Amino acid sequence: MARATTRSGQRAPRLGAEERRRQLAETAARRFYHHGFHAVALADVATEVGVTAPAVYRHFRNKNALLAGAIDSGLDVADAALDGAGQSLDDILFRLAGAALDRRDLWVLLQREKRHLGGEERAAIDARFARFTLRFSEQLRRARPDVDLGQSKLLVTAALATLASASVSGVHLPRTEHQRVLAAAAIAAAHTRLPTGEDGQAGLPAKPRRPQDARSRAEELLETAIELFHEHGYTGVSLDDIGAAVGLSGPSIYYHFETKSEILVTAFAQAAHGLAAHEGDGGAGVPLGDLVRDYIRAGVQQRHLFGVYVTEAINLPREAADRIGAELDANVEAWTAALRLLRADLSTGEDRALVYAARGVVNDVVRVGDLHGRRQIESELGALLRAVLEADPARIAPDEV
């Protein structure tokens, strides 16, 4: 039987079993990252690598196993960065920044695609990531003996969120420069002095549900749907599930929304429009502090929606995704324009990378675990975002790159 060829028509090189398995996992990781789990077929991965589809099954028994292998291959890179780092927390974060750039797919696979794994496979990935996080947490606690366990968890989440921002930012910088700016953001987050009871303010609680008579049935459906999407995933919730949760049955729900997709689009569009309302004329005249405050408040009040956007934006119809994405990009540009007024030292690209890093802190903190319920979470987020936006990539010495 003739050896398979790659898309370019070249014969696939002969590799050992372990090398081939790693090649398949890394190729699949890129495809899952760009297209989502459901849009990727094993045959697509086989064709790109240059082997036959049956050859994939010699390494991975099914697509779920391939996804688990893809995530594992990314965690191999993250673990290696942690293994190779010295005793300095800053050195660890610098190396992890490099790993985040080498495997931009990893954080998206962990946040968005991991849920497609079966029980045992998901538990194994969760356990491995927990070990990684614990090791990093121990390093941070050694460097920050002044923080308690709750503060440490917040700082760990924030620092890793800045690194994960490279997965979604679309920023293109020379690798050494990009690693420097990511490391600077993560270091700033990890070393942030969090407000104490004396200098902080109580956090804003999650947005309360309004009484039934004060909100429309459509609003109730939207809020309920987002909560269900957040808990069970978009594909795991039906229109009937949403209707039943608010006491509607049969065709009644179709009076408000014709499809589940319409609910998703409506919720995201309203959120994007709400952020855009605070931008002003191109954002240049809006103080960065105001933009930061509004984003933090939106994240704390609409944490389920922020979480659903991270995991379910890939399910938006193309036209809606482009439209909503354009509004969100405009909000990012408003932040970037405001930051440029304060940071003439940053290059084009560095400013945008810091903006994404700062917003990533909010996105992850409000949706992960119970951090959103901390009493001073708004003031803590404010301190973290100020530190990230003030981070100085030039302080990362060139000989460290």
Side-chain angles (χ1 to χ4, degrees), residues 207-219:
K207 186 177 181 180
R209 281 185 175 274
R210 285 182 289 163
Q212 175 60 42
D213 58 0
R215 59 180 175 154
S216 70
R217 180 66 85 175
E219 289 176 317

Side-chain angles (χ1 to χ4, degrees), residues 54-108:
V56 179
Y57 288 101
R58 289 200 289 270
H59 301 277
F60 300 98
R61 67 182 181 278
N62 54 33
K63 193 165 76 166
N64 277 38
L66 183 58
L67 173 59
I71 297 174
D72 265 328
S73 70
L75 287 172
D76 286 344
V77 176
D79 279 335
L82 204 53
D83 291 339
Q87 295 303 306
S88 163
L89 178 62
D90 293 4
D91 179 50
I92 290 170
L93 288 168
F94 177 78
R95 291 176 182 269
L96 287 174
L101 292 173
D102 290 339
R103 289 299 301 267
R104 294 185 190 221
D105 56 86
L106 174 60
W107 301 102
V108 170

Side-chain angles (χ1 to χ4, degrees), residues 18-170:
E18 192 59 37
E19 291 177 295
R20 181 68 76 195
R21 179 181 173 86
R22 183 170 60 251
Q23 182 190 38
L24 288 166
E26 292 175 353
T27 300
R30 290 193 299 272
R31 284 189 163 272
F32 290 137
Y33 170 49
H34 290 296
H35 307 294
F37 179 76
H38 294 297
V40 175
L42 266 68
D44 298 329
V45 177
T47 300
E48 182 171 339
V49 168
V51 299
T52 62
V56 179
Y57 288 101
R58 289 200 289 270
H59 301 277
F60 300 98
R61 67 182 181 278
N62 54 33
K63 193 165 76 166
N64 277 38
L66 183 58
L67 173 59
I71 297 174
D72 265 328
S73 70
L75 287 172
D76 286 344
V77 176
D79 279 335
L82 204 53
D83 291 339
Q87 295 303 306
S88 163
L89 178 62
D90 293 4
D91 179 50
I92 290 170
L93 288 168
F94 177 78
R95 291 176 182 269
L96 287 174
L101 292 173
D102 290 339
R103 289 299 301 267
R104 294 185 190 221
D105 56 86
L106 174 60
W107 301 102
V108 170
L109 298 188
L110 284 168
Q111 294 174 346
R112 188 187 73 198
E113 306 299 340
K114 182 188 68 174
R115 60 203 165 130
H116 299 301
L117 294 175
E120 290 185 5
E121 291 164 327
R122 180 168 180 171
I125 292 295
D126 284 342
R128 183 172 181 188
F129 185 64
R131 290 193 297 272
F132 168 83
T133 304
L134 177 60
R135 291 174 63 204
F136 177 62
S137 299
E138 290 170 347
Q139 295 282 1
L140 186 139
R141 290 296 302 278
R142 278 196 282 271
R144 295 290 309 272
D146 56 305
V147 300
D148 60 30
L149 284 174
Q151 293 171 324
S152 172
K153 183 178 179 181
L154 177 61
L155 293 175
V156 165
T157 301
L160 293 180
T162 63
L163 301 177
S165 67
S167 298
V168 298
S169 69

